[in-house]
Amino acid sequence: MIYEIAAITIKPDTHAAFEAAVTQAVPLFRAATGCLSMRLERAIETPDTYHLVIGWSTLENHTVDFRGSAAFQDWRALVGGFFAGPPNVVHFDPVVTGF
């Protein structure tokens, strides 16, 4: 499994609406090929910053299957208007699991 971590900064004073839009998008990820998990985390120190953390079976499940799908277009339509700038997306391969 790999993790996609998207650092997203949203426009001020749109937290509730952004979080509602992400909640609305959960079924898009649940149905996506190879998507194993999905969560949204909000930074405490910088509350306009979020991390979208998605577990994928393979990198290609994200970069090819999901990004090439209608679900990706639906995702962006739901949340794109809240972005203060483009998300910074990085993929991680877990190497140590402590507990």
Side-chain angles (χ1 to χ4, degrees):
M1 174 169 40
I2 62 101
Y3 288 97
E4 166 199 359
I5 301 177
I8 301 169
T9 303
I10 65 166
K11 297 171 186 170
D13 302 318
T14 62
H15 304 108
F18 173 68
E19 292 170 19
V22 173
T23 300
Q24 188 178 348
V26 168
L28 299 173
F29 291 100
R30 187 177 301 276
T33 299
C35 188
L36 304 172
S37 63
M38 176 261 195
R39 70 180 187 267
L40 183 68
E41 303 171 342
R42 185 174 175 189
I44 295 170
E45 293 83 5
T46 54
D48 292 341
T49 302
Y50 289 81
H51 281 172
L52 177 67
V53 182
I54 303 175
W56 297 98
S57 292
T58 68
L59 179 64
E60 292 75 21
N61 287 149
H62 175 228
T63 60
V64 177
D65 299 331
F66 185 68
R67 283 193 178 167
S69 72
F72 179 74
Q73 299 304 319
D74 294 343
W75 157 250
R76 290 307 289 257
L78 282 168
V79 300
F82 297 103
F83 296 170
N88 180 29
V89 178
V90 181
H91 297 94
F92 288 87
D93 189 13
V95 293
V96 174
T97 301
F99 57 92

